[in-house]
Amino acid sequence: MKVRTRFAPSPTGFMHIGNLRTALYSYLFARHNGGEFILRIEDTDRERYVEGAVDLVYRTLETVKFKVDESPVHGGEYGPYVQSERKSIYSEYAHKLVELGGAYYCFCDKERLESLTDENGNRKYDKHCLKLSKEEIQAKLDAGVPYVIRQNIPESGMTSYTDLVYGQIDVDCADLEDNVLLKSDGMPTYNFANVIDDHLMNITHVTRGTEYLSSTPKYNLLYKSFGWEPPKYIHLPPIMKDAQRKLSKRYGDANFEDFIAKGYLPEAIVNYIALLGWSPKGEVEKMDIDTLIELFDVDGISKSGSIFDEVKMKWLNSLYIKELDSERFATLAKPWYDQSVVAGKYDYTKWNALLQSRIETFSDIPEKVKFMEEFGDYELSLYDHKKLKADASVGLVALKAAKEAIEGIADFSEEALSEALAQKAEEIGMKKGQMLWSVRVGLTGAAVTPGGAVEMGGLLGKERSLERLDYSIKLIESKL
Ligand code: GLU
């Protein structure tokens, strides 16, 4: 049988990292097995529905380049793929289930249901309407009494299944409730719709979060009542914020689009979240989507939660940034130059080569180019370098000599600067390292810069380099 998996988000306005990981694992599993990947929109809970959320799902899947075989936009032979458009299907199957004995009409009103609440605030439906006779039911239906359809759960016995990650899961039927399957407005609940859709859409493997691990036996009772074969289940471990807390929408930073806005590459995010709950057999961590497809296996999925580690995601992102072709780097970097101090002032291309190997996310750019415009009073301790035996007094000598060297350059360029500084250092008997270190500080007044003396000087140009060295010489003299 052809493997078919589905991603079934509820359009609640967010593409949380956890949702995206579910989509990814479903996608990887399908592709690894030569199967199909389906997108289904689960919008039966109208109260949680957020305008624009469906578009957000499409946009995200496009951004991460998952190829969807069937979906509301791509169509397919098992459509419609939006649950709110499948109302009549659920109604038909709910009524069929009543005939099969797996469900029953319930006419209880709100007051009666509330009266079932015990002293601890818990409520469990008491199967009251299951006892109604055929005639009583018909009379109520004829009179137009509103009803819901409830699942008829056996009063005793165990219901079990084997999850491909968590193994055997057993639930005592006595702990389950006769949940509503079809609401009085004819809308299905998730409990019902997921079963009907997974069956009718020929889904072979259901991949979803562990929050559904213990309700799955209940869904399997529905398959049993219909006489259907349930799909295989792959429940995924939670993603944690730290050892105690689950990552959740409350922490805004777990939102996919926020990471994109922060300058992460979609391919790096995908690579990172693939590792959040799964590990390949070898030691490799950097894997593009094709490699992930090739290596993905259910055995590598862990049972315990994984902590979301942005530092690691940044590191992976930096590896992907280094690999970009220069054109794509320039395109992606441009908006960040545009919102930095250098906006509109220079030809940005001159920083690209330098920055591509030095940033972890694109949002690092404004900070890295700050030195171009921001320069002024700074601490002399910036000149200290233990290993090089450098400090402000060495710096003063170095800067004065460097000034002379630069003045002597007729055709200014990085190479010319590099040569001139090396030569000058030799001439005055200073270590080249001391010279370069001091000049870098003298030119930028910054502890961290996106390059060394030669690169910084090259970017600033001859005139501005000389001006800055002048300033720094005076600064050292006034503070020493
Ligand atoms: N609509 C459910 C959710 O977003 C999907 C659960 C499932 O995959 O069955 O949590």
Side-chain angles (χ1 to χ4, degrees):
M1 196 168 27
K2 191 162 210 158
V3 165
R4 284 171 60 85
T5 67
R6 86 303 193 271
F7 174 46
S10 301
T12 54
F14 251 105
M15 195 61 157
H16 185 259
I17 284 299
N19 299 135
L20 189 61
R21 187 198 55 175
T22 301
L24 174 64
Y25 285 17
S26 305
Y27 180 63
L28 295 178
F29 186 81
R31 288 289 177 263
H32 179 83
N33 292 291
E36 286 155 347
F37 175 63
I38 288 105
L39 170 66
R40 179 171 81 222
I41 301 294
E42 301 208 323
D43 62 345
T44 54
D45 187 351
R46 302 310 286 184
E47 272 158 38
R48 289 174 68 215
Y49 184 81
V50 172
E51 210 54 56
V54 176
D55 287 338
L56 174 71
V57 172
Y58 296 150
R59 200 161 67 227
T60 306
L61 293 180
E62 240 161 62
T63 308
V64 294
K65 299 202 175 78
F66 295 176
K67 293 183 202 90
V68 182
D69 295 296
E70 294 160 34
S71 78
V73 264
H74 301 81
E77 56 178 302
Y78 300 91
Y81 294 90
V82 177
Q83 287 187 331
S84 59
E85 294 169 19
R86 299 171 62 82
K87 238 174 117 173
S88 60
I89 301 176
Y90 305 121
S91 171
E92 181 195 331
Y93 280 92
H95 288 88
K96 206 182 238 175
L97 196 62
V98 171
E99 277 166 38
L100 292 169
Y104 59 93
Y105 294 103
C106 171
F107 301 94
C108 291
D109 58 17
K110 223 170 130 201
E111 284 73 47
R112 170 147 210 289
L113 293 176
E114 271 164 17
S115 74
L116 298 174
T117 311
D118 69 13
E119 60 275 13
N120 299 321
N122 299 325
R123 187 199 299 170
K124 189 174 171 188
Y125 188 63
D126 59 356
K127 288 185 181 280
H128 176 78
C129 288
L130 185 60
K131 294 165 202 120
L132 295 177
S133 69
K134 259 204 165 117
E135 295 69 33
E136 282 171 311
I137 294 170
Q138 199 52 52
K140 284 185 191 287
L141 291 176
D142 292 345
V145 180
Y147 68 86
V148 297
I149 291 182
R150 284 183 187 274
Q151 183 172 2
N152 183 15
I153 304 243
E155 281 176 89
S156 61
M158 297 298 276
T159 167
S160 317
Y161 75 104
T162 305
D163 185 82
L164 294 187
V165 175
Y166 290 88
Q168 171 139 352
I169 305 292
D170 302 301
V171 173
D172 191 338
C173 288
D175 294 335
L176 299 175
E177 197 189 4
D178 286 0
N179 282 130
V180 173
L181 303 178
L182 201 71
K183 295 185 262 190
S184 55
D185 62 1
M187 268 295 199
T189 56
Y190 166 76
N191 295 326
F192 191 54
N194 89 89
V195 168
I196 300 302
D197 289 347
D198 286 339
H199 174 72
L200 294 181
M201 294 180 182
N202 266 345
I203 301 302
T204 59
H205 294 79
V206 166
T207 310
R208 63 184 170 207
T210 37
E211 59 271 32
Y212 297 99
L213 190 65
S214 59
S215 25
T216 297
K218 192 164 65 187
Y219 308 148
N220 279 352
L221 289 173
L222 291 174
Y223 283 94
K224 207 166 147 195
S225 304
F226 277 116
W228 296 339
E229 177 77 21
K232 301 251 184 308
Y233 295 98
I234 302 169
H235 284 96
L236 306 178
I239 301 177
M240 310 294 287
K241 168 128 183 117
D242 51 39
Q244 281 83 34
R245 292 172 296 171
K246 261 177 93 168
L247 196 67
S248 84
K249 291 174 193 174
R250 267 177 298 149
Y251 313 110
D253 55 3
N255 180 13
F256 173 73
E257 290 209 324
D258 286 347
F259 287 119
I260 297 292
K262 280 205 280 189
Y264 283 89
L265 293 168
E267 51 270 43
I269 300 176
V270 167
N271 187 158
Y272 178 65
I273 62 174
L275 300 169
L276 274 177
W278 171 76
S279 34
K281 296 214 169 63
E283 294 287 296
V284 225
E285 293 198 291
K286 182 170 175 295
M287 288 167 281
D288 63 10
I289 192 81
D290 292 332
T291 313
L292 289 171
I293 289 172
E294 192 188 316
L295 299 179
F296 190 76
D297 62 339
V298 176
D299 292 348
I301 300 177
S302 73
K303 288 195 183 74
S304 48
S306 332
I307 295 178
F308 182 80
D309 176 6
E310 195 173 346
V311 173
K312 185 162 179 189
M313 185 160 87
K314 263 195 188 144
W315 165 75
L316 269 172
N317 201 56
S318 74
L319 302 184
Y320 280 88
I321 287 182
K322 283 192 186 88
E323 276 181 4
L324 293 175
D325 64 53
S326 49
E327 219 167 287
R328 180 147 179 247
F329 181 87
T331 311
L332 292 170
K334 184 172 181 298
W336 295 97
Y337 291 128
D338 283 340
Q339 52 178 281
S340 76
V341 293
V342 303
K345 288 195 176 130
Y346 308 87
D347 172 9
Y348 300 153
T349 50
K350 61 186 190 182
W351 293 297
N352 287 342
L354 190 64
L355 294 185
Q356 188 163 0
S357 59
R358 286 185 165 85
I359 56 170
E360 290 192 302
T361 67
F362 283 94
S363 57
D364 292 343
I365 289 180
E367 189 58 38
K368 296 271 192 226
V369 297
K370 231 176 179 171
F371 78 94
M372 286 298 290
E373 299 301 307
E374 288 178 13
F375 179 70
D377 191 15
Y378 56 86
E379 296 292 324
L380 293 194
S381 57
L382 287 184
Y383 286 96
D384 295 343
H385 193 301
K386 245 197 177 146
K387 232 166 117 197
L388 287 174
K389 295 204 173 62
D391 59 16
S393 8
V394 173
L396 186 60
V397 179
L399 298 195
K400 284 182 171 165
K403 210 186 130 192
E404 253 180 62
I406 294 173
E407 275 163 349
I409 301 176
D411 198 0
F412 191 83
S413 68
E414 268 192 28
E415 295 75 53
L417 177 62
S418 170
E419 225 166 88
L421 290 179
Q423 223 170 55
K424 196 52 143 188
E426 206 183 311
E427 213 177 288
I428 64 169
M430 178 179 274
K431 275 191 256 154
K432 193 173 150 196
Q434 288 178 320
M435 171 67 88
L436 294 176
W437 169 261
S438 307
V439 172
R440 185 191 62 79
V441 177
L443 288 174
T444 61
V448 189
T449 53
V454 169
E455 285 144 334
M456 299 298 95
L459 287 170
L460 288 163
K462 184 173 173 177
E463 293 316 310
R464 293 179 78 198
S465 294
L466 288 172
E467 273 165 35
R468 288 191 178 194
L469 291 184
D470 260 336
Y471 177 93
S472 290
I473 290 168
K474 286 194 191 104
L475 186 80
I476 302 178
E477 284 173 342
S478 71
K479 290 195 179 185
L480 257 190

